[in-house]
Amino acid sequence: VVTKDPETGWVNIGLYRRQLHDRNHTGLVVVHGAHIWRHWRAYKKLGRKTMPIAVVNGWDPMLPMVACSSQPAGVCEYDIMGALRQEPVELVKCETVDLEVPASAEIVYEGEVGLDYETFRMEGEFGEYSGYYGRLPSPKPVITVNCITYRDDPIFQGTLEGVPTNEDHMMESINHSALAWDHLNQQMVGVTGVNADPSTAWANLFIQIDNSYVGQVFQAATAFWGSHIANQAGKNIIVVDEDIDIFDLKKVAWAFAYRVDPKRDIHQFPGIFGPSDVSIHIKDRIGTTTYLGTRLLIDATKWIGYPRTKEWFDEKFAPVCYPDDETMKLVRSKWERYGIK
């Protein structure tokens, strides 16, 4: 979905769902805080009744990948796409609105979205990325489609939504992981990896640290929860040591099993989360696009507060009984010599 700030000219390309109403009307979700919401407010402040809009279907896979990423305000996603593709995005001006779209797109819908609440229509229920039909139908803005342009024999592209893991879970996992790690590196030291795992649609966030000082675990969790990314990701955070592969769920589960003392290492925090989380009943929710809930921190690191002890070879935590990586690599390289195929 392509929109533009009416005063600054900042162009935003976002991934926002639309429900088909009739021949030339679709719904449009405008989430609080999203960049399209900022453009919406800018047009409203100018007294406009509608906002020009273009919807692109089908182009380089970089289009949905970047469109669903969280870029800073004022940044045009076309620039990010060009940087990642290492070549500019060839754009063409729309036929009926002052917006630009990829010249080789399969299908482009041009039109306007109504800004007055009276023009909204009921939309939903939708299958959500969490894997549930989690929220009630609600009034949403309406796009009036005035023009459709398309290639000869266009390919209409879509994706399945619902129980993880689908395409959007994989794309957003990469985006959320990178953005979260970048944010944490700006706020603190010692974060060595972040995985917004696609298996739970980013609700579970695994953070790897060097576990070098008291309070580092809490700092990592609260720093992330204080970022805008946390509106949709990281409801539950598990922090682990550097020896735990955060992309291997079995290793994370092992850390949780034997490095966590529940009375010491499990903590609850109040916080907001997206409406697709069904752990809070609809009747108990505060808000619609985000609502107040409970976040969870699990400290699955080797407890830094233990004293060193002779029983653990003068270490603070029990040593791991596993051959070193070089030994394991050597053994694996010799399977055939041992007669094992």
Side-chain angles (χ1 to χ4, degrees):
V1 175
V2 184
T3 57
K4 181 165 62 175
D5 187 286
E7 296 179 300
T8 67
W10 159 41
V11 174
N12 176 67
I13 299 93
L15 203 63
Y16 310 114
R17 71 174 183 219
R18 293 164 295 118
Q19 175 178 304
L20 183 64
H21 288 311
D22 54 42
R23 184 174 181 272
N24 67 322
H25 293 95
T26 74
L28 174 70
V29 63
V30 178
V31 177
H32 174 83
H35 290 169
I36 193 173
W37 176 78
R38 298 192 186 194
H39 289 179
W40 168 285
R41 285 169 56 87
Y43 276 93
K44 289 274 287 184
K45 288 180 179 179
L46 293 175
R48 306 284 182 85
K49 296 296 183 182
T50 62
M51 176 174 66
I53 198 166
V55 180
V56 182
N57 180 273
W59 187 63
D60 189 304
M62 196 62 70
L63 176 66
M65 180 70 182
V66 174
C68 70
S69 66
S70 182
Q71 303 299 331
V75 171
C76 177
E77 281 78 6
Y78 286 143
D79 293 336
I80 305 298
M81 296 175 206
L84 293 171
R85 296 172 77 242
Q86 298 186 33
E87 60 178 308
V89 178
E90 184 183 358
L91 300 174
V92 63
K93 190 172 181 179
C94 289
E95 299 285 337
T96 61
V97 292
D98 185 22
L99 295 168
E100 293 182 316
V101 295
S104 55
E106 297 289 331
I107 306 169
V108 176
Y109 308 86
E110 303 177 12
E112 54 193 5
V113 56
L115 304 180
D116 290 336
Y117 185 83
E118 292 75 19
T119 65
F120 287 16
R121 296 191 192 182
M122 291 298 292
E123 193 178 66
E125 295 180 353
F126 288 101
E128 300 288 351
Y129 58 82
S130 60
Y132 299 93
Y133 287 89
R135 46 178 142 179
L136 295 173
S138 59
K140 292 292 190 301
V142 175
I143 299 175
T144 300
V145 178
N146 298 320
C147 174
I148 302 177
T149 59
Y150 51 91
R151 302 182 65 174
D152 292 340
D153 299 320
I155 299 172
F156 182 87
Q157 295 184 10
T159 183
L160 184 68
E161 186 59 277
V163 176
T165 301
N166 297 319
E167 288 176 315
D168 61 326
H169 300 119
M170 295 301 298
M171 292 191 300
E172 287 285 53
S173 172
I174 295 169
N175 288 329
H176 287 321
S177 299
L179 290 166
W181 195 5
D182 180 64
H183 172 76
L184 290 176
N185 281 336
Q186 294 179 40
Q187 306 300 319
M188 60 182 294
V189 298
V191 176
T192 53
V194 177
N195 176 22
D197 199 76
S199 64
T200 58
W202 342 293
N204 289 349
L205 186 77
F206 307 138
I207 300 177
Q208 185 190 74
I209 63 172
D210 61 11
N211 201 12
S212 55
Y213 58 90
V214 174
Q216 191 177 16
V217 170
F218 292 99
Q219 187 179 16
T222 54
F224 173 79
W225 286 333
S227 71
H228 70 281
I229 316 165
N231 287 355
Q232 298 291 336
K235 169 191 172 186
N236 308 308
I237 291 179
I238 299 180
V239 183
V240 298
D241 297 288
E242 288 183 284
D243 67 328
I244 299 298
D245 182 354
I246 55 176
F247 298 97
D248 185 339
L249 296 181
K250 292 182 292 185
K251 295 296 185 183
V252 175
W254 177 60
F256 174 72
Y258 293 109
R259 299 185 185 183
V260 174
D261 179 354
K263 67 178 182 295
R264 180 192 65 211
D265 297 323
I266 296 180
H267 312 275
Q268 297 182 22
F269 293 77
I272 59 173
F273 202 67
S276 296
D277 182 3
V278 296
S279 63
I280 295 181
H281 196 278
I282 289 175
K283 66 179 179 62
D284 297 324
R285 296 180 183 180
I286 303 173
T288 54
T289 56
T290 53
Y291 58 83
L292 189 62
T294 304
R295 297 183 180 276
L296 185 70
L297 168 61
I298 298 176
D299 181 355
T301 63
K302 299 174 183 177
W303 175 233
I304 198 172
Y306 282 150
R308 297 183 184 276
T309 176
K310 292 183 178 180
E311 288 79 5
W312 284 345
F313 307 97
D314 290 325
E315 296 292 339
K316 290 186 175 184
F317 203 88
V320 173
C321 51
Y322 186 79
D324 62 85
D325 290 339
E326 287 301 316
T327 300
M328 293 299 291
K329 182 179 178 180
L330 182 64
V331 172
R332 290 191 179 103
S333 69
K334 295 183 176 180
W335 280 127
E336 292 186 2
R337 188 183 305 179
Y338 304 146
I340 301 173
K341 294 183 180 179

